[in-house]
């Protein structure tokens, strides 16, 4: 069984954000795009592509845990995405009093878009 997904992170905070963590949620065989240290300017975006293949009796999904810091006020944010091989995907977001996010995109192809902005 094979599964793949992508998450495009769009910055609408009014300031640059710096990626401080980008790690796997599941044992993704392929994981490329957003990296620690990347700076996403306001109005810009970056895409993280991930994928996994596993045997039928032990299916694995793919996902990511992305943390970032706003360069203007040093507030932090965190987005966790989990697309399991079996079951529904989920997003969660840290520091909701500081940042807001809107997941979207073409979920039929497991291509998701996450827009972050200051509240």
């Amino acid at each position: 069984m094979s599964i793949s997904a992508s998450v495009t992170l769009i910055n609408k905070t009014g300031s640059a954000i710096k990626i401080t963590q980008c790690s796997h949620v599941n044992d993704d065989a392929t994981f490329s795009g957003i990296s620690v240290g990347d700076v996403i300017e306001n109005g810009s975006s970056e895409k993280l592509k991930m994928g996994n293949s596993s045997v039928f009796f032990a299916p694995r999904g793919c996902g990511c845990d992305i943390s970032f810091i706003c360069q203007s006020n040093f507030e932090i944010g965190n987005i966790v995405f989990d697309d399991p091989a079996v079951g529904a995907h989920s997003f969660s977001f840290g520091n909701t009093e500081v940042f807001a996010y809107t997941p979207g995109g073409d979920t039929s192809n497991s291509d998701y878009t996450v827009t972050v902005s200051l509240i």
Side-chain angles (χ1 to χ4, degrees):
M1 174 179 275
S2 177
I3 188 170
S4 63
S6 68
V7 173
T8 301
L9 180 61
I10 301 174
N11 177 9
K12 298 277 186 168
T13 63
S15 170
I17 59 174
K18 184 173 184 174
I19 304 299
T20 57
Q21 174 188 328
C22 186
S23 59
H24 306 234
V25 168
N26 296 297
D27 275 336
D28 305 297
T30 59
F31 199 77
S32 63
I34 297 173
S35 299
V36 172
D38 287 356
V39 174
I40 304 173
E41 297 295 330
N42 182 53
S44 295
S45 64
E46 277 198 45
K47 180 182 268 191
L48 177 65
K49 297 177 185 177
M50 59 211 114
N52 211 338
S53 59
S54 55
V55 294
F56 180 72
F57 60 86
R60 290 186 266 175
C62 56
C64 59
D65 185 350
I66 302 171
S67 296
F68 55 90
I69 187 166
C70 186
Q71 298 288 277
S72 64
N73 60 10
F74 304 106
E75 298 290 349
I76 60 172
N78 175 259
I79 296 169
V80 178
F81 168 68
D82 186 11
D83 194 359
V86 178
H89 78 278
S90 63
F91 279 99
S92 60
F93 189 76
N95 296 336
T96 53
E97 63 279 352
V98 176
F99 290 98
Y101 82 105
T102 306
D106 185 359
T107 58
S108 65
N109 291 328
S110 296
D111 295 323
Y112 301 92
T113 301
V114 178
T115 302
V116 295
S117 62
L118 293 172
I119 292 178

